[in-house]
Amino acid sequence: MVSIPSFTGDASPFGGGDPYADYRTADFPFVHYADLADRRLGAGVIAANDEFFAERENMLKPEAAEFDPEHFGHKGKIMDGWETRRRRGVSAAQPHPTEDDHDWALVRLGAPGVVRGIVVDTAHFRGNYPQAVSVEAASVPGSPSPEDLLGGDAKWTTLVPRTAIGGHAANGFAVDVEQRFTHLRVNQHPDGGIARLRVYGEVAPDPAWLAALGTFDLVALENGGQVEDASDRFYSPATNTIQPGRSRKMDDGWETRRRRDKGNDWIRYQLVEQSEIRAVEIDTAYLKGNSAGWAAVSLRDGEEGEWAEILPRTRLQPDTNHRFVLGAAAVGTHVRVDIYPDGGISRLRVLGSLTEEGAGRLAARHQELGG
């Protein structure tokens, strides 16, 4: 079990210069998983009991929190995060909040999944962060309203027990609950501010939905595909290539550093399950002077299977979506994209349908996770 550093207590007041210079963080063992609370996947903060100083939606912004020391509004300092007002007791004789008093926010995950780790980031909240946080999760089908989630019928499971945290820090928590969840309830005790929330885990799609689709993108993050490894992540993460939609700017794809040897760069993916592939899309949107020169796609069936090329090395054009229909359907569980010699792609789409064996395993896994 990897030990995860913990941070408690205030950070020093901002003294000028780089606001991240004294930021406390660590290398967390779960950050290679997808962020299930990514707005690009469709995540949202659907309710909060209080957002007096700063809006709840800020927690899910994909970029790091910013700090402007001179940014004030009518309610006070404007922070790039979710910040509630200061809680008070019930009377002059009891001015402090009780042990049970807390603020909360409901988060809809962008894709249902198994949570492997959570980061509650209090960047720039130096003396106004919560004393402690806790996180609960529920699995509720459909599109429940906040009232549905809070009405008493939803079953909430604790992922992070009430734990003291630190200000201006990335507070990380490993999660070991083998269940599929759709929503989180983030609690701050008793009040304060959270800059960002990251929920790392594995997407667990609904087999009935994929069966209804028939042909779909087998490597898409929202459908349960994932990046296993990549040769280079210098400029941007390989996971960008399986995000929903087309890339909207250069850093919304995958770009490698410039190679000075005779090798090539690559990404290896795991499909949602064993599938029959019939077509491939490789998009280089917004990569104009730095797109890959050529690309090839290979497939294997199972962890020990042999790699077989399904798309030979093919010239790519900058800022272009390339579509390839395979001459014959190919069956496998893992895909590898090799680019030559370096550069990047913005999106990969692997189109086809689950095999009978793959659909069966996916349905069994769904049942194991409480689906």
Side-chain angles (χ1 to χ4, degrees):
M1 187 76 173
V2 178
S3 177
I4 296 179
S6 61
F7 307 105
T8 55
D10 295 348
S12 298
F14 178 61
D18 178 7
Y20 274 104
D22 60 342
Y23 176 68
R24 296 176 286 177
T25 188
D27 293 326
F28 300 119
F30 43 74
V31 295
H32 62 284
Y33 290 104
D35 181 5
L36 302 179
D38 193 322
R39 281 290 301 169
R40 291 172 294 180
L41 274 178
V45 186
I46 62 173
N49 72 305
D50 187 291
E51 47 185 332
F52 185 85
F53 287 115
E55 294 84 357
R56 63 191 192 235
E57 289 86 359
N58 288 336
M59 283 196 296
L60 304 191
K61 287 182 180 178
E63 61 275 356
E66 297 181 353
F67 180 71
D68 181 348
E70 298 180 359
H71 196 191
F72 286 83
H74 292 293
K75 294 181 180 179
K77 183 74 186 71
I78 296 175
M79 297 293 290
D80 185 12
W82 168 48
E83 186 180 7
T84 66
R85 74 193 79 198
R86 299 185 187 218
R87 280 186 169 267
R88 299 299 187 224
V90 296
S91 67
Q94 295 178 300
H96 303 102
T98 70
E99 273 296 303
D100 294 330
D101 285 343
H102 67 277
D103 292 319
W104 54 264
L106 295 177
V107 177
R108 179 191 64 243
L109 297 179
V114 182
V115 179
R116 301 301 185 193
I118 293 173
V119 174
V120 177
D121 191 344
T122 57
H124 315 303
F125 289 92
R126 295 168 174 270
N128 51 344
Y129 59 94
Q131 182 183 24
V133 296
S134 60
V135 182
E136 303 159 279
S139 183
V140 181
S143 303
S145 68
E147 292 74 23
D148 295 330
L149 293 167
L150 298 172
D153 292 333
K155 178 185 176 183
W156 292 94
T157 299
T158 298
L159 301 187
V160 178
R162 183 169 175 168
T163 306
I165 63 170
H168 197 42
N171 300 276
F173 306 93
V175 176
D176 186 21
V177 180
E178 202 69 15
Q179 293 182 43
R180 177 182 186 267
F181 295 111
T182 60
H183 294 77
L184 299 186
R185 183 162 60 192
V186 180
N187 305 305
Q188 42 180 344
H189 308 268
D191 54 40
I194 295 171
R196 296 290 188 266
L197 175 73
R198 306 296 186 221
V199 183
Y200 296 100
E202 300 173 60
V203 175
D206 181 355
W209 176 252
L210 297 184
L213 293 178
T215 296
F216 60 93
D217 183 359
L218 303 158
V219 78
L221 192 58
E222 60 189 326
N223 293 334
Q226 57 184 297
V227 169
E228 285 193 328
D229 201 1
S231 60
D232 188 291
R233 299 178 175 88
F234 190 83
Y235 286 113
S236 45
T239 304
N240 281 353
T241 60
I242 55 175
Q243 290 282 1
R246 294 197 72 198
S247 174
R248 297 185 179 183
K249 54 182 180 175
M250 193 176 73
D251 67 350
D252 190 22
W254 172 61
E255 182 189 356
T256 70
R257 75 192 84 194
R258 300 185 187 213
R259 273 192 173 267
R260 301 308 187 199
D261 60 20
K262 299 301 182 183
N264 74 282
D265 288 316
W266 51 267
I267 307 176
R268 188 175 72 244
Y269 304 87
Q270 181 175 312
L271 304 180
V272 55
E273 247 300 345
Q274 187 190 65
S275 306
E276 186 177 84
I277 298 168
R278 293 185 287 276
V280 173
E281 286 188 16
I282 300 175
D283 196 352
T284 58
Y286 289 93
L287 296 166
K288 298 183 178 182
N290 46 5
S291 68
W294 292 263
V297 180
S298 300
L299 176 70
R300 77 179 183 194
D301 191 24
E303 294 288 347
E304 305 302 323
E306 295 290 327
W307 289 104
E309 199 170 68
I310 60 174
L311 179 70
R313 194 179 304 189
T314 302
R315 189 74 168 97
L316 299 181
Q317 299 300 317
D319 195 26
T320 300
N321 192 25
H322 309 77
R323 290 179 171 174
F324 307 98
V325 177
L326 304 186
V331 172
T333 57
H334 295 74
V335 161
R336 174 178 164 135
V337 174
D338 286 271
I339 63 170
Y340 301 88
D342 56 21
I345 61 175
S346 60
R347 294 290 188 271
L348 174 73
R349 305 297 184 213
V350 178
L351 304 168
S353 54
L354 294 171
T355 63
E356 185 176 346
E357 181 181 340
R361 285 200 297 253
L362 189 69
R365 175 67 170 155
H366 189 67
Q367 286 297 113
E368 288 176 8
L369 297 175

